[in-house]
Every structure is written in C-alpha cells, then in structure tokens.
Amino acid sequence: MTTEAVQQEIERLRNPDILQLEQVKRFSTWLDDRRKLGQPGRAVGNTGLGKTSAAIFYTFRNRASNQPHQSPTVPVLYLEIRGGSCSPILLFELILKTLKHKATGGNENQLRKRAWDKLRQCKVEVLIIDESHRLQFKSLPDVTDLHKELGILPILIGTSSRLDTLLSKDEQVASRFACYFNFEELAGNNFRKTVKIWEQEILRLPEPSNMATNDDIITLLQEKTSGQLRLLDQILRNAAIKALESGVKKIDKALLDSIEGDYSLVAS
C-alpha cells in the first residue's frame, strides 16, 4: 500500500462504525414491540456493552423526514444526558435544542409547554433518553407525563445499578418501566463471532488475521476486555492502526502483545 493509502485507512479506522450485531438487532425488535404495545421500557447493562450505539442505530433507522415550510417529522428522538445531574429545566432545554427550536430560555413551566408543543409538531413517537441515570428524581414525573399526556413512549437507557436505583425511589415510576432489555457482556461463541465480524467489516486489513479461530488471541482479548464491546473495539482498532503503520498486513498475537500500555477495567 502507498503511504497515502495507509493514511486513508488509518483515518477510516479512527471513525466510529455501527454494525448490526445480533444484540443490536434484538434491541431494535424489542423497541418495535414497545411501540406496538405502547409500553415504556428501559435498556440496561454495564458500561461499554453497546447500549448507545444500538440506540443511535435505531434512531437512524427511524430518522426524521423533512417537508417544506413544516416542522420535521421525528418518529424517534434520541437524547444523551450529559453532566452530573439533569433537572426538568435541563431536560426541556435538551429536547428543544435537539429539535432545533430557536427559543430555549425561560422558566420551567414555559420550557415544559414549549417542549410539549414542539414534540407534538414533530410527531415524536419514541423518546430515547441515554445516560438516564443522570436524571434528577424530580425529572421522572415529567418523563412519565410525556407518555400519559402526549402518548410519547419513553425509553430509558443507563447502567443497571444506577438507573434501577433511581427508578426504585418511586414504585409507580418503577412499575411503568418494568419491561427491560438487558445488554449482555460478550462471551463464548458470541465473543468469537464478534471478533470475526470486526476483522471483516471494521478492520479490513490487506490479509486475513483469522483471530476468531486463534485460541491464544481470543483468550488474550477476553482477558483484556472482560466482555466489553467498547474495549474490544478500541484494542482491535489500535492493533490494526499499528499494523498499517508498521507495514504489516495482518494482526497476530505478537502484535497485540506489543501494543504500548494496556487495557483494564478500574475495580469498583
């Protein structure tokens, strides 16, 4: 490969990809069922298991459509809560900002009314709230009111322990989100299958590495990732970039061992 071609491949590997893994497909089916039944739900799992990627994929699959001189139709609205705590005001501001509403200032009641009006105008059917364990407890009634008053289906996404702890503070709220989808850690044949998919569809090196059939490599990757999809993605991309920079056409165990630094989860 020429130097320019190598650099292009490295830049490609630095850009995120969302693949239709089996768990992503099952999550999409689960969301479709929630819409048919009109039942809110929650998607839970430890960090790094692909919850956000799966939610973004579903949102893209149900992306907004635009018509001249009208508000866009947004069947699925995806929000990601940032920061340590999300009050009702911050939640309404995020909804308005995501729907590109120009006026995002005002008090809580003004923002609530404005957000509700905008959600109606955009015909939002599903509201996916990622990192929802960051919601303040007093924001939960506003989330449930979206379902009761507007017929919008709220789907909460968060880490198992923190989101369940938040919901458990109010049994009525908890009962509304009793239906859940559990994101599982990669293990066994599923881990091997995912490594194979990553090699073929993400890394795409000049020569096959056949990592999924190499027991030593699989054992090494399992130890380094603890079944986390995010860590697996980081390690394999890192290895592929190092291979390209070194003029190597595939990944072997020696190359994986030579990656500077290491990957491990911080003990809780």
Side-chain angles (χ1 to χ4, degrees):
M1 297 177 68
T2 65
T3 302
E4 183 179 354
V6 167
Q7 192 57 42
Q8 288 177 347
E9 285 297 289
I10 290 173
E11 289 302 317
R12 177 184 64 78
L13 286 165
R14 286 173 175 159
N15 293 321
D17 299 85
I18 299 177
L19 299 182
Q20 291 191 56
L21 301 178
E22 188 60 36
Q23 190 158 235
V24 174
K25 294 177 183 177
R26 288 193 295 109
F27 180 58
S28 293
T29 299
W30 180 80
L31 285 173
D32 286 339
D33 288 343
R34 302 278 65 71
R35 294 172 75 175
K36 291 175 186 176
L37 297 170
Q39 295 177 350
R42 70 192 196 279
V44 296
N46 293 331
T47 186
L49 299 183
K51 300 185 296 297
T52 294
S53 295
I56 292 174
F57 171 78
Y58 188 80
T59 304
F60 179 76
R61 202 184 80 177
N62 295 271
R63 55 189 175 275
S65 59
N66 295 297
Q67 297 181 5
H69 312 299
Q70 294 183 25
S71 295
T73 299
V74 185
V76 178
L77 180 64
Y78 170 83
L79 305 178
E80 181 181 5
I81 296 176
R82 300 178 183 272
S85 178
C86 182
S87 65
I89 285 180
L90 292 177
L91 176 62
F92 296 135
E93 287 178 345
L94 182 58
I95 290 172
L96 291 168
K97 181 179 179 181
T98 305
L99 291 174
K100 296 180 171 55
H101 191 73
K102 293 181 181 179
T104 58
N107 61 38
E108 184 176 319
N109 288 332
Q110 290 170 331
L111 287 167
R112 180 182 291 107
K113 181 181 184 305
R114 204 174 298 148
W116 281 27
D117 288 344
K118 191 64 177 178
L119 288 165
R120 287 193 189 97
Q121 291 170 13
C122 294
K123 301 177 182 178
V124 174
E125 300 174 28
V126 179
L127 177 64
I128 299 177
I129 305 178
D130 201 357
E131 299 288 329
S132 56
H133 51 263
R134 299 172 186 258
L135 286 167
Q136 290 182 4
F137 177 69
K138 62 182 180 180
S139 298
L140 292 178
D142 279 301
V143 174
T144 58
D145 281 350
L146 291 174
H147 183 231
K148 291 187 295 183
E149 303 298 331
L150 301 185
I152 293 172
L153 201 66
I155 301 294
L156 305 182
I157 298 180
T159 55
S160 308
S161 58
R162 287 183 285 178
L163 179 55
D164 290 353
T165 298
L166 174 66
L167 295 177
S168 67
K169 294 179 180 180
D170 187 321
E171 61 181 15
Q172 290 187 346
V173 173
S175 66
R176 291 183 180 277
F177 295 94
C179 185
Y180 71 95
F181 184 94
N182 185 47
F183 280 82
E184 301 173 347
E185 295 176 351
L186 297 172
N189 289 332
N190 192 27
F191 189 93
R192 288 182 184 269
K193 183 179 179 180
T194 303
V195 171
K196 183 177 181 179
I197 291 172
W198 240 249
E199 179 179 332
Q200 294 177 343
E201 300 189 29
I202 298 291
L203 307 185
R204 305 204 301 267
L205 290 171
E207 292 183 6
S209 303
N210 298 318
M211 290 183 285
T213 59
N214 187 313
D215 290 342
D216 290 337
I217 287 180
I218 291 297
T219 299
L220 174 65
L221 290 173
Q222 286 175 327
E223 290 175 350
K224 284 180 174 289
T225 65
S226 298
Q228 273 203 19
L229 182 62
R230 182 188 299 161
L231 282 178
L232 180 65
D233 179 52
Q234 291 174 356
I235 291 169
L236 293 181
R237 287 177 190 265
N238 192 345
I241 289 173
K242 183 163 186 177
L244 291 168
E245 290 176 335
S246 304
V248 180
K249 296 182 179 181
K250 62 181 181 179
I251 296 171
D252 57 19
K253 186 173 182 297
L255 190 146
L256 285 170
D257 284 330
S258 71
I259 294 176
E260 293 182 6
D262 207 345
Y263 295 80
S264 65
L265 300 178
V266 176
S268 58

